[in-house]
Amino acid sequence: MAVAIRTDADPTRKPPGKPSRKPARKPSFIGSVWRSTVGKKAVMAVTGLIMLAYLVAHMLANLKVFLGPDDLNGYAHWLRTLGEPFLPHEGFLWLARLALLTTVVLHGVAAAQLSRRDLAARPRGYAHQRRRASYATRTMRWGGVILGLFIVWHVLDLTTLTVNERAEPGHPYENVVATFSTWYGNAVYITAMLALGLHIRHGFWSAAQTLGAGRPRRDKALKTAANVLAAVLTCGFIAVPVGVMSGVVS
Amino acid sequence: MRLTLRIWRQRGPEEPGALTTYEVNGISPEMSFLEMLDTLNEELILAGDEPIAFDHDCREGICGACGMVINGQAHGPERTTTCQLHMRHFADGDTIDVEPWRAAAFPVVKDLVVDRSAFDRIIGSGGFVSVPTGSAPDAHATPVPKPVADLAFEHAECIGCGACVAACPNGSAMLFTSAKVVHLNSLPQGAPERESRVLDMVGTMDDEGFGGCTNTGECAVACPKGIPLQSISRMNREFLRAGLKGGGRAD
Ligand code: HEM
Ligand code: SF4
Ligand code: FES
């Protein structure tokens, strides 16, 4: 049976031979990226890699704790004067904080939106279940939430010093020692760093896939790089509480 | 062989379904999984019961019509289609669970049959090349370098079975869509629509309610044609490239 979808009498039909003068508006790049699952994942990958780069710098700076109070405190002071006189005092620091806040919010919002969509796309699982994927892959969502909570705690502990009882502003070395002199300070921090290692183990490789760098021949190298990055960051960060606990740093 | 089967039975799209247990006898190891189901269906028909509905067509692993989740694995324990899976991969006395593809975008029609027309709509939005028709072109009119031809052919192998969607914890169609996009985007014949193809096919994929990719990798493990996981990465690159180029549409 033939069904006429459009007849000449169709009022919505454009008059023949007269192309519309206005071409369809080009969708904006940012808008179409954020709307699509592929684009939103790319936002997660880019923000994740920015945070990862920051964490490498942060870890290296933390290791200055082994060089003594003057070195670490001097570095903290230098950070606040960076960019002067072109930037005001602490100007660079606030720019970096703003950039990091933006990346973590974008990353978290995209993760939440994509996760909701993913769960809705598989409303019913299989009665016969199998073990799926690696531990790091399966824990990206809850591991991410743990990292988000840790970031809040970490800022309250060593930036605003709200939850750090024996802390003094301007003395990061002493404050770090104070944090890792409590059992809960060590427990929270070490748990979070193990979660970070897992997140990066899947995240770095995943970001390479998302941004279009994944190829069968390159897969092993990318996975190795992800594992090395995860191990170096986790060990580097955990060295500080271990140093305080063992008395190497006091 | 004697087997216990627990098969998903569902009368229609809106009906509730349940796993129902059946016993079958006299299954030979050289039967295919579908022939085993045929044997069961003959018994059901003789007993006056409704036979189990399942999709199938070529039964030689090339059409992509068949597909069911066997013991939690799309197409069962071997890397092949359900029609090419043989009963020798099971042992006498086994209990086998058989369920339909599970994804929001693939609603169950009846028993093990799901509606995969969402795939057709993804294809319709970009899985084609524009060619002059009417006269046959010379076979060598458009030279294609060997590595490019190999890459395109590897991806042309996708039979649209949907096992990738069924295996994915997010019900994502990224492996299927990437097979189509990489196949056509790597060839010179596909170049005129290179940008619009990937943007439109990904757009339709999202609109159809498939989930996003979390790089879990279950799809590539389930794919009977061995489409590699990294094809998704190739498609991501095409997508980002097309977006940066403004989608290949004229201003
Ligand atoms: C607010 C806290 C965070 C949350 C809620 C979160 C959550 C997530 C989720 C759900 C994914 C996707 C996983 C998947 O697709 O399987 C992901 C990926 C990723 N995360 Fe995070 N994460 C957080 C913090 C971080 C941090 C601090 C880093 C820095 C190293 C990071 C780096 C990455 C990377 C590189 C990816 C891979 C992106 C991709 O798959 O393309 N995340 N995150
Ligand atoms: S990519 Fe593989 S699993 Fe997915 S539809 Fe194509 S052949 Fe089937
Ligand atoms: S029936 Fe054609 S591929 Fe299985």
Side-chain angles (χ1 to χ4, degrees):
Chain A
M1 188 182 67
V3 179
I5 298 170
R6 251 198 223 138
T7 67
D8 278 344
D10 191 336
T12 61
R13 191 178 163 175
K14 274 187 296 175
K18 221 177 160 196
S20 72
R21 246 174 298 128
K22 255 212 294 199
R25 206 170 68 85
K26 224 166 76 173
S28 81
F29 179 56
I30 305 271
S32 51
V33 161
W34 187 253
R35 263 193 309 278
S36 100
T37 53
V38 176
K40 200 167 282 188
K41 196 72 197 288
V43 171
M44 289 195 69
V46 170
T47 53
L49 291 176
I50 293 173
M51 289 190 281
L52 188 59
Y54 163 75
L55 288 180
V56 172
H58 188 23
M59 181 210 70
L60 292 173
N62 283 0
L63 293 178
K64 281 183 174 286
V65 84
F66 292 101
L67 302 177
D70 295 343
D71 213 279
L72 188 74
N73 291 348
Y75 168 75
H77 177 74
W78 171 76
L79 269 187
R80 281 158 178 78
T81 60
L82 198 65
E84 284 178 21
F86 303 104
L87 291 173
H89 186 64
E90 296 200 344
F92 170 79
L93 201 65
W94 279 102
L95 285 178
R97 284 171 177 167
L98 197 71
L100 285 172
L101 186 67
T102 313
T103 55
V104 77
V105 168
L106 280 175
H107 191 86
V109 169
Q113 292 183 350
L114 285 173
S115 298
R116 260 189 63 166
R117 210 197 135 89
D118 295 349
L119 294 172
R122 169 60 97 64
R124 166 174 213 133
Y126 296 104
H128 189 115
Q129 287 184 357
R130 290 190 316 123
R131 167 172 271 272
R132 290 173 181 276
S134 74
Y135 187 73
T137 307
R138 284 182 285 128
T139 53
M140 286 305 272
R141 287 178 190 146
W142 285 111
V145 170
I146 290 177
L147 289 177
L149 293 174
F150 170 75
I151 293 169
V152 173
W153 184 84
H154 190 56
V155 168
L156 293 176
D157 180 35
L158 286 164
T159 307
T160 67
L161 311 180
T162 318
V163 297
N164 198 336
E165 281 163 12
R166 286 179 290 145
E168 292 170 64
H171 292 84
Y173 181 90
E174 290 74 12
N175 299 343
V176 166
V177 174
T179 287
F180 297 128
S181 306
T182 63
W183 68 266
Y184 56 86
N186 288 314
V188 169
Y189 191 88
I190 292 174
T191 311
M193 291 310 104
L194 293 174
L196 177 72
L198 286 174
H199 203 79
I200 292 171
R201 186 186 144 110
H202 177 76
F204 179 78
W205 171 83
S206 182
Q209 307 302 312
T210 304
L211 295 177
R215 294 290 175 275
R217 269 190 307 153
R218 228 180 269 159
D219 202 54
K220 230 176 153 176
L222 284 172
K223 284 205 164 118
T224 309
N227 287 341
V228 168
L229 257 176
V232 167
L233 277 173
T234 307
C235 296
F237 277 119
I238 288 183
V240 179
V242 169
V244 175
M245 279 191 281
S246 62
V248 175
V249 174
S250 61
Chain B
M1 287 167 85
R2 180 195 174 85
L3 297 166
T4 305
L5 297 160
R6 301 201 306 153
I7 301 178
W8 184 262
R9 301 301 311 260
Q10 180 173 342
R11 286 169 176 280
E14 306 301 329
E15 307 278 329
L19 282 178
T20 309
T21 306
Y22 301 94
E23 304 278 340
V24 277
N25 266 319
I27 300 300
S28 71
E30 42 296 336
M31 276 184 180
S32 75
F33 202 84
L34 298 188
E35 283 166 336
M36 183 276 292
L37 288 178
D38 292 338
T39 311
L40 174 61
N41 272 347
E42 279 169 14
E43 287 175 21
L44 290 177
I45 292 166
L46 284 177
D49 286 338
E50 180 85 2
I52 296 151
F54 59 88
D55 262 334
H56 62 103
D57 189 14
C58 70
R59 296 208 177 199
E60 52 186 59
I62 54 170
C63 75
C66 64
M68 49 195 81
V69 170
I70 302 164
N71 283 343
Q73 278 180 287
H75 291 303
E78 295 292 307
R79 170 169 277 197
T80 186
T81 55
T82 303
C83 59
Q84 290 294 300
L85 174 68
H86 292 90
M87 296 314 293
R88 60 173 172 271
H89 299 295
F90 298 89
D92 188 36
D94 273 0
T95 298
I96 306 174
D97 291 342
V98 190
E99 300 172 76
W101 288 170
R102 294 283 186 208
F106 284 171
V108 173
V109 176
K110 189 177 180 184
D111 296 342
L112 303 172
V113 178
V114 299
D115 177 358
R116 281 173 293 185
S117 55
F119 268 10
D120 299 340
R121 291 186 287 275
I122 295 178
I123 293 282
S125 64
F128 50 81
V129 295
S130 46
V131 288
T133 54
S135 57
D138 284 339
H140 58 300
T142 312
V144 181
K146 176 81 164 69
V148 171
D150 286 346
L151 183 71
F153 194 79
E154 184 185 10
H155 291 86
E157 278 193 65
C158 166
I159 52 176
C161 63
C164 43
V165 177
C168 176
N170 312 319
S172 173
M174 288 284 276
L175 194 68
F176 164 78
T177 311
S178 72
K180 303 302 168 192
V181 166
V182 174
H183 166 204
L184 297 177
N185 272 25
S186 51
L187 288 171
Q189 288 89 340
E193 296 92 4
R194 183 168 171 190
E195 288 85 20
S196 60
R197 174 178 301 115
V198 60
L199 294 177
D200 292 344
M201 290 180 83
V202 168
T204 307
M205 181 187 83
D206 284 349
D207 291 344
E208 291 290 340
F210 291 103
C213 178
T214 50
N215 292 313
T216 303
E218 291 287 342
C219 54
V221 175
C223 176
K225 298 296 158 183
I227 305 294
L229 182 60
Q230 285 77 14
S231 303
I232 292 176
S233 193
R234 289 186 196 269
M235 177 171 76
N236 290 338
R237 187 195 195 106
E238 287 294 311
F239 179 89
L240 296 171
R241 178 187 168 277
L244 286 168
K245 289 191 75 176
R249 292 174 176 88
D251 279 307

